Amino acid sequence: MRLVKLFGGAVLAVILTSAIVFAHGGATGIVKKRMDAMEAIGGNMKLAGQMLRGQKPYDAAALRQAAETIAENAGEKLTRLFPEGSLMPPTEARPEIWQDWDKFAGFSNDMKAAASELAIKAGEGAEKGAVAAAFSKLAQTCKACHEAFRIEK
Ligand code: HEC
């Protein structure tokens, strides 16, 4: 009995793990492309945040690089990954994107501008407070767009 229980638990763990992998791994085509772009943006934001919080050594060149990568993935490059009506599962995109396209595109441009600003601040060796302020401004653009256009999980 006990063995069966143990075995059952292990199987359940495997099923749960693969369900989590599937949630993102199941994405294909354009949805996968934009999830990958967002993951890259998210990874670079995480790195920048860790440096500013002292969880990683502060490295102005690396922070500038992270911000530049975000800027490169933003603006029109990001909005092109949202062709009209592309709501295939497991997307978290909201249909409102295409009802209010200008607002959506505006957020993507705001992200690009804020990321470029952060790259400049870090690159010119600005003091940490100024770099942190530029980082917060960038984080605000993520939040604004997610609140309006991404389904909360
Ligand atoms: C222009 C709007 C917009 C901006 C700006 C934006 N996002 Fe997103 N983000 C989205 C949408 C929409 C999705 C859901 C995409 C989907 O599931 O198809 C998403 C999804 C994500 C995901 C989940 C990706 C996945 O694998 O499911 C992460 C992580 C993420 N965004 C991080 C960020 C970060 C960090 C920023 C700011 C630096 C940011 N986003 C800025 C619209 C935006």
Side-chain angles (χ1 to χ4, degrees):
M1 191 59 195
R2 199 181 173 141
L3 247 180
V4 170
K5 251 195 180 160
L6 266 176
F7 182 66
V11 168
L12 189 64
V14 168
I15 290 169
L16 284 177
T17 311
S18 52
I20 290 160
V21 170
F22 188 71
H24 285 200
T28 54
I30 199 83
V31 171
K32 174 156 175 35
K33 270 198 190 152
R34 68 194 185 212
M35 281 182 167
D36 288 348
M38 280 291 171
E39 295 277 352
I41 289 170
N44 282 290
M45 264 314 255
K46 189 174 167 196
L47 178 67
Q50 284 171 332
M51 280 192 235
L52 287 167
R53 275 184 231 109
Q55 291 160 345
K56 283 223 164 110
Y58 186 79
D59 176 344
L63 206 149
R64 177 178 150 215
Q65 182 61 56
E68 274 175 358
T69 304
I70 294 171
E72 278 160 20
N73 279 289
E76 214 194 311
K77 186 156 179 213
L78 182 69
T79 54
R80 255 190 270 131
L81 301 176
F82 288 85
E84 176 126 37
S86 53
L87 288 169
M88 296 76 85
T91 190
E92 292 169 3
R94 284 182 189 266
E96 283 80 2
I97 289 172
W98 299 283
Q99 286 153 22
D100 211 346
W101 181 259
D102 289 347
K103 188 174 165 194
F104 181 71
F107 283 143
S108 193
N109 290 332
D110 290 349
M111 167 163 66
K112 193 176 181 75
S116 303
E117 183 64 28
L118 175 60
I120 290 166
K121 282 271 178 299
E124 70 191 15
E127 47 106 15
K128 231 168 142 187
V131 178
F135 176 82
S136 303
K137 217 173 143 197
L138 173 58
Q140 280 305 313
T141 70
C142 319
K143 192 165 171 266
C145 192
H146 287 174
E147 274 175 6
F149 296 116
R150 182 183 175 197
I151 295 165
E152 281 197 46
K153 292 266 154 126

